[in-house]
């Protein structure tokens, strides 16, 4: 067992010592897709949703990954089981178009896609701690619905946020809010939960999907329509969602206070989410 575990095409070891071959197309082109989810009690949260999205991303990028869900599930579990105990782990995996000499066109058919997996202990933030955001123009390309490894605009956006003492960057195309650098964003306004529709401008987040389902279950109407920066600034609450942090309330954007006007619905949704996470992972995760 290791604290941080690395896996590459069937080989496993301490993450710090694992190596990938120099021909892996993830290195040259970011030519691959990834997924990440929290693990508690050695149970990966919402794995079926992540596998659905993984196969969809593979299809959209035309990566000929031949292994089935049960095989992937088994390899992920092998890595999870090789990790030392921790209250929560973050499980990450990526599939690249494979290993062959650098050349833009797809490799020959016999080149198999490469699976890489890592797991590390993960400190989940308390949902009581509000997020501070900065806003930035969304300068990403228009394949944001695919969870590709090409993340440079998101890396730069998140770095700008950290440099300003903030947690995340909310991105907009003109006035329209899309999502955050590595999260989705939703608003509560007049009792309605509103979030951008799942088009090519946002990643269809698993946490976003669960949040909408939980809202409906609790009688909160949901609208999947775009909203503007002005609407975001005037929201009763703004909620940032991702698999690694679940549902975080926003307290400011660019230093201007935001939200704080519908704590009842916000807390209900956060509690419902946390209850779902605990129920589906066996209940012992700590926050
Ligand atoms: N949007 C982007 C751009 C992301 O990178 C992520 C997560 O990595 C999300 C949204 C949230 O998705 P999920 O809830 O599936 O983690």
């Amino acid at each position: 067992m290791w604290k941080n575990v690395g896996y590459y095409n069937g080989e496993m070891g301490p993450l710090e010592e694992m190596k990938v071959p120099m021909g892996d197309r993830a290195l040259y082109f970011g030519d691959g897709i990834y997924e990440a989810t929290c693990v508690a009690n050695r149970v990966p949260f919402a794995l079926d949703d992540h596998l659905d999205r993984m196969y969809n991303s593979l299809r959209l990028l035309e990566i000929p990954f031949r292994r089935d869900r049960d095989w992937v599930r088994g390899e992920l579990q092998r890595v999870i089981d090789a990790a030392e105990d921790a209250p929560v782990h973050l499980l990450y995996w990526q599939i690249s178009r494979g290993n062959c000499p650098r050349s833009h066109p797809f490799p020959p058919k016999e080149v198999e896609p490469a699976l890489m997996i890592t797991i590390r202990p993960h400190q989940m933030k308390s949902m009581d701690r509000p997020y501070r955001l900065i806003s930035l123009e969304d300068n990403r390309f228009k394949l944001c619905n695919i969870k590709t490894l090409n993340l440079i605009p998101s890396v730069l956006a998140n770095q700008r946020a950290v440099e300003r003492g903030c947690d995340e960057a909310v991105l907009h195309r003109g006035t329209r809010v899309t999502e955050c650098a590595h999260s989705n964003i939703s608003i509560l306004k007049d009792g309605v939960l509103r979030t951008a529709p799942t088009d090519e401008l946002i990643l269809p987040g698993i946490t976003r999907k669960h949040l909408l389902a939980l809202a409906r279950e609790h009688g909160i109407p949901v609208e999947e329509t775009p909203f503007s920066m002005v609407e975001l600034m005037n929201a009763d609450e703004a909620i940032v969602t991702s698999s690694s942090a679940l549902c975080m309330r926003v307290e400011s954007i660019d230093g201007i206070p935001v939200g704080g006007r519908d704590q009842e619905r916000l807390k209900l949704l956060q509690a419902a989410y946390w209850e779902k996470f605990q129920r589906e992972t066996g209940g012992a995760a700590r926050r």
Side-chain angles (χ1 to χ4, degrees), residues 34 50 53 140 147 179-184 203 205-208 241-243:
Y34 75 104
H50 286 276
R53 187 172 62 188
R140 299 173 304 164
K147 204 164 166 64
E179 58 180 337
C180 296
H182 55 89
S183 330
N184 293 112
L203 184 80
I206 308 293
T207 323
R208 170 194 177 282
T241 55
S242 70
S243 296

Side-chain angles (χ1 to χ4, degrees), residues 38 86-91 120-125 243-245 286:
C38 286
V88 179
H89 289 97
L90 189 67
L91 178 68
R120 292 179 295 153
H122 177 62
Q123 181 66 55
M124 279 182 134
K125 295 180 187 110
S243 296
S244 59
R286 269 193 268 129

